[in-house]
């Protein structure tokens, strides 16, 4: 599976955090991998590993988002946009294997695919503040 596809899988799994308690996420993760035929073996391990790393940093990531997103806070953001931003901020701040420009570009592409009309511009605008 290509990196873009893996990132999409991580996004889909991470999105479930918005609708389930942390205690339920273990079961949700299991259900996710049963449902997602594309994520198998090594790819599933990569998706799960990155998801867990992001989940461990969620409060830090949300704090950074609240600080950078002037006039917005994570409670007001759409769940899709917030999930995309969390993934991208993790990649920018904590994942040395992903260049900042790639993280931003991929986040914008996810926003175009899963978000509303204004999502890609919103995501790009906030992530640009992390690129400084």
């Amino acid at each position: 599976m290509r990196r873009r596809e893996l990132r999409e899988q991580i996004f889909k799994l991470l999105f479930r955090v918005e609708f389930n308690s942390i205690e339920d996420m273990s079961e949700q993760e299991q259900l996710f991998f049963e449902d997602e035929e594309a994520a198998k073996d090594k790819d599933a391990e990569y998706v799960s590993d990155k998801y867990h790393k992001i989940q461990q940093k969620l409060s830090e990531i949300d704090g950074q988002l609240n600080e950078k997103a002037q006039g917005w806070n994570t409670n007001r953001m759409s769940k899709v946009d917030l999930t995309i931003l969390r993934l991208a901020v993790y990649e920018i701040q904590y994942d040395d294997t992903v260049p900042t420009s790639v993280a931003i570009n991929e986040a914008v592409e996810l926003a175009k695919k899963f978000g509303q009309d204004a999502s890609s511009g919103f995501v790009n605008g906030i992530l640009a503040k992390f690129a400084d």
Side-chain angles (χ1 to χ4, degrees):
M1 192 178 299
R2 294 183 2 228
R3 271 202 135 167
R4 178 170 281 184
E5 294 166 323
L6 290 170
R7 189 174 280 105
E8 191 173 305
Q9 295 295 313
I10 296 163
F11 162 77
K12 288 177 180 178
L13 179 56
L14 189 59
F15 186 68
R16 292 181 181 214
V17 168
E18 291 301 308
F19 301 98
N20 297 281
S21 68
I22 294 298
E23 296 80 27
D24 292 338
M25 281 309 296
S26 178
E27 181 182 357
Q28 286 299 313
E29 184 178 0
Q30 183 180 353
L31 291 170
F32 175 80
F33 287 113
E34 287 173 6
D35 292 345
E36 292 296 326
E37 296 174 18
K40 299 291 183 206
D41 304 324
K42 190 172 142 184
D43 290 338
E45 186 178 320
Y46 176 83
V47 169
S48 179
D49 181 56
K50 194 155 183 180
Y51 157 75
H52 284 285
K53 288 177 180 176
I54 296 168
Q55 186 184 41
Q56 290 172 351
K57 300 253 186 226
L58 276 183
S59 62
E60 288 176 47
I61 291 168
D62 285 356
Q64 292 173 37
L65 283 167
N66 287 328
E67 183 180 308
K68 300 270 189 188
Q70 298 169 347
W72 284 90
N73 91 25
T74 53
N75 294 328
R76 289 186 53 220
M77 295 177 189
S78 82
K79 294 181 183 331
V80 170
D81 294 351
L82 177 57
T83 303
I84 293 167
L85 288 166
R86 285 172 167 169
L87 174 55
V89 169
Y90 175 83
E91 290 182 335
I92 292 167
Q93 300 290 77
Y94 305 104
D95 190 341
D96 295 335
T97 66
V98 181
T100 298
S101 61
V102 171
I104 293 171
N105 183 59
E106 291 296 322
V108 168
E109 292 302 316
L110 282 171
K112 287 177 182 176
K113 184 171 184 176
F114 294 103
Q116 298 174 337
D117 290 342
S119 291
S120 60
F122 177 74
V123 166
N124 189 49
I126 291 177
L127 292 178
K129 296 177 182 183
F130 285 89
D132 297 338

